[in-house]
Amino acid sequence: MIVTRFAPSPNGPLHWGHAYSAIVAHDFAQAAGGRFLLRIEDIDGPRSRPRLADEFRRDLEWLGLEWDEVLPQSTRLELYRKAADELLGRGLLYPCTCTRKQIEALGPKMGPEGLVYPGTCKGQQIDPTKPAALRLDVERALADVGDLSWHDALAGEQQADPHQLGDVVLVRKDLPASYHLAATLDDAADGVTLVTRGQDLFAATHVHRLLQALLGLPVPQWHHHGLLLDDDGKKLAKRRGSKALADHRASAENGREWADRLRMDQWPCGISFRST
Ligand code: GLU
């Protein structure tokens, strides 16, 4: 059975980009008689606003989508801790006390998701009184599991290349997991068989595939869809003035009609679509 999911973070309202993402996931599941899941990724404590999750549910209803809701990330911290402990015990994580500023000052390489950590703390004695994140030693991890591949419905077969993102953080200084660890574990726990999300997260999948191999998790298929862009050709974002779905909803626009237009590649005014 096909199981897809929509996994928004309640740190800002949903906009058309999210609507499109939810519709893609919903329609794949519906067409195959599968399940479409909603998972609230509320792990980011200080930025997370629980009331927004209710707004998200109203937005999805407004778009005419039906879903099954699974556990939010905040209830799964123990699962993340256990997995991190296991990787730590196998010598695949190392503590890192670097701040973003310090990393920037090193003039590191830029990767598909911004700065690539140059491995400064790897193999170093770390001051135990300083807060430390735990990073994945990608080289060692790959030596453990060997060559990996994964399949994207649009881009085809991919050779996993987690070096693109460098030694990513798996345990944040302030939380028992990062997005990469939490989302990978959740997708497995929720039985997701087709991960649909925007092409902006394509590179992250190289890391997720590696984590699946390290932790013995099932390997889903992926579908990284194109992105909705604003007038400046940038990804939609509330902070750049993208209108929230909640605002369209509040002005009594018809969400189901909007959803059907998105399905037919008819984009709201001022929005374009890019698929690479
Ligand atoms: N919470 C993530 C986001 O809102 C989900 C990314 C994913 O679908 O894996 O970007």
Side-chain angles (χ1 to χ4, degrees), residues 146-157:
D147 287 345
L148 300 168
S149 61
W150 54 277
H151 190 266
D152 179 81
L154 297 178
E157 202 66 11

Side-chain angles (χ1 to χ4, degrees), residues 99-202:
T99 61
R100 192 182 166 83
K101 267 207 178 124
Q102 285 170 331
I103 300 171
E104 273 165 3
L106 295 166
K109 232 177 48 196
M110 292 303 279
E113 287 196 350
L115 305 174
V116 175
Y117 181 67
T120 321
C121 288
K122 186 168 157 177
Q124 299 298 312
Q125 204 58 40
I126 295 298
D127 177 353
T129 61
K130 279 195 183 165
L134 293 174
R135 289 183 178 273
L136 178 65
D137 184 337
V138 169
E139 209 172 300
R140 228 164 151 167
L142 279 174
D144 242 35
V145 296
D147 287 345
L148 300 168
S149 61
W150 54 277
H151 190 266
D152 179 81
L154 297 178
E157 202 66 11
Q158 304 293 313
Q159 194 68 33
D161 180 16
H163 283 299
Q164 282 187 25
L165 295 192
D167 288 353
V168 290
V169 169
L170 291 193
V171 177
R172 288 175 28 168
K173 283 178 186 166
D174 55 340
L175 290 173
S178 66
Y179 158 67
H180 297 299
L181 184 62
T184 305
L185 288 166
D186 288 342
D187 284 338
D190 295 334
V192 174
T193 62
L194 175 65
V195 175
T196 62
R197 59 183 170 214
Q199 284 170 350
D200 52 332
L201 287 166
F202 195 92

Side-chain angles (χ1 to χ4, degrees), residues 4-75:
T4 63
R5 55 36 164 209
F6 175 56
S9 306
N11 49 25
L14 301 186
H15 50 59
W16 288 121
H18 296 108
Y20 181 72
S21 216
I23 290 167
V24 168
H26 169 272
D27 289 5
F28 269 122
Q30 194 185 46
R35 290 178 76 205
F36 167 58
L37 310 179
L38 170 66
R39 182 174 70 232
I40 304 294
E41 302 213 324
D42 58 350
I43 196 179
D44 198 347
R47 291 174 64 215
S48 194
R49 287 182 274 148
R51 269 198 25 243
L52 275 178
D54 280 336
E55 292 289 315
F56 293 178
R57 294 180 193 104
R58 272 181 223 128
D59 290 338
L60 296 184
E61 238 167 60
W62 177 72
L63 291 166
L65 307 183
E66 281 176 22
W67 66 92
D68 290 332
E69 185 154 350
V70 289
L71 290 175
Q73 287 191 329
S74 54
T75 64

